[in-house]
């Protein structure tokens, strides 16, 4: 928006910009609720995703299954397996969406693939087979269609601390990110 101010004997023009931060974005909406529980663990569960725009990953989300009272960690990885950030979930509720905020947001680049994951030692987690065969688009974020840049709906059994790399039937494990688009 361009504004002009007229004063005695002079006129000044200047541009106004909105510098308010954009609202945080997620792949899944608050109303996205899984309904298929699977038992197993310990396991690292993840999702391969991209953003249309540059920005920062502020944290990781996952949908917690009822009956899982174990500690959970969340991680952000480059597509090549480099750990970019990790942390421990705190103040979890009995079930539903849980959010971890990293101590420092992690800058990501548009149209670059990343992996978000969480680790559980618990007996239950959510899984939906063949979900990722179509991908999830909630612009500017996208959980990639299985096979677009490798498998999606990723898992690795074990103590955690490794990027999940195995896939099974294009499954979705209800892992998400908290993303702040660049202004």
């Amino acid at each position: 928006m361009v504004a002009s101010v007229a004063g005695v004997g002079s006129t000044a023009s200047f541009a106004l910009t909105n510098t308010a931060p954009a609202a945080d974005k997620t792949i899944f909406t608050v109303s996205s609720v899984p309904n298929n529980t699977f038992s197993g663990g310990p396991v690292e569960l993840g999702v391969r995703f991209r953003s249309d725009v540059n920005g920062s990953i502020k944290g990781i989300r996952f949908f917690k299954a009822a009956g899982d009272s174990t500690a959970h960690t969340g991680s952000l990885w480059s597509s090549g397996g480099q750990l970019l950030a990790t942390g421990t979930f705190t103040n979890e509720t009995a079930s539903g969406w849980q959010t971890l905020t990293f101590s420092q947001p992690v800058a990501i680049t548009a149209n670059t693939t990343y992996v978000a994951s969480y680790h559980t030692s618990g007996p239950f987690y959510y899984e939906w087979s063949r979900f990722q065969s179509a991908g999830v688009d909630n612009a500017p974020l996208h959980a990639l269609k299985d096979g677009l840049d490798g498998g999606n709906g990723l898992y690795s059994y074990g103590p955690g601390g490794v990027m999940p790399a195995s896939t099974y039937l294009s499954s979705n494990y209800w892992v998400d990110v908290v993303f702040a688009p660049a202004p």
Side-chain angles (χ1 to χ4, degrees):
M1 175 168 115
V2 176
S4 295
V5 177
V8 177
S10 67
T11 301
S13 293
F14 54 93
L16 299 176
T17 59
N18 180 359
T19 58
D24 291 342
K25 307 291 183 184
T26 57
I27 297 167
F28 298 101
T29 64
V30 174
S31 62
S32 298
V33 178
N35 60 5
N36 299 339
T37 331
F38 193 79
S39 63
V43 63
E44 186 91 18
L45 302 163
V47 62
R48 208 177 296 273
F49 74 96
R50 289 183 192 161
S51 173
D52 296 329
V53 297
N54 293 337
S56 297
I57 300 298
K58 295 170 67 175
I60 304 292
R61 297 186 334 146
F62 79 99
F63 203 96
K64 181 179 177 179
D68 181 358
S69 60
T70 64
H72 301 97
T73 56
S75 300
L76 179 67
W77 312 84
S78 70
S79 63
Q82 178 186 4
L83 181 62
L84 302 175
T86 192
T88 300
F89 286 85
T90 59
N91 301 317
E92 292 185 30
T93 59
S95 64
W97 285 109
Q98 310 298 312
T99 303
L100 155 71
T101 302
F102 293 134
S103 59
Q104 292 291 323
V106 178
I108 65 166
T109 305
N111 303 311
T112 301
T113 301
Y114 297 90
V115 172
S117 68
Y118 82 98
H119 185 266
T120 182
S121 295
F124 305 108
Y125 57 87
Y126 284 105
E127 180 265 345
W128 187 353
S129 297
R130 295 179 177 80
F131 183 88
Q132 293 299 117
S133 59
V136 179
D137 295 313
N138 190 14
L141 296 174
H142 308 279
L144 302 182
K145 175 181 174 180
D146 198 45
L148 183 61
D149 192 6
N152 206 340
L154 305 167
Y155 70 91
S156 288
Y157 285 103
V162 297
M163 185 177 92
S166 299
T167 63
Y168 180 73
L169 295 177
S170 304
S171 295
N172 171 34
Y173 298 108
W174 299 96
V175 184
D176 201 347
V177 294
V178 179
F179 174 71

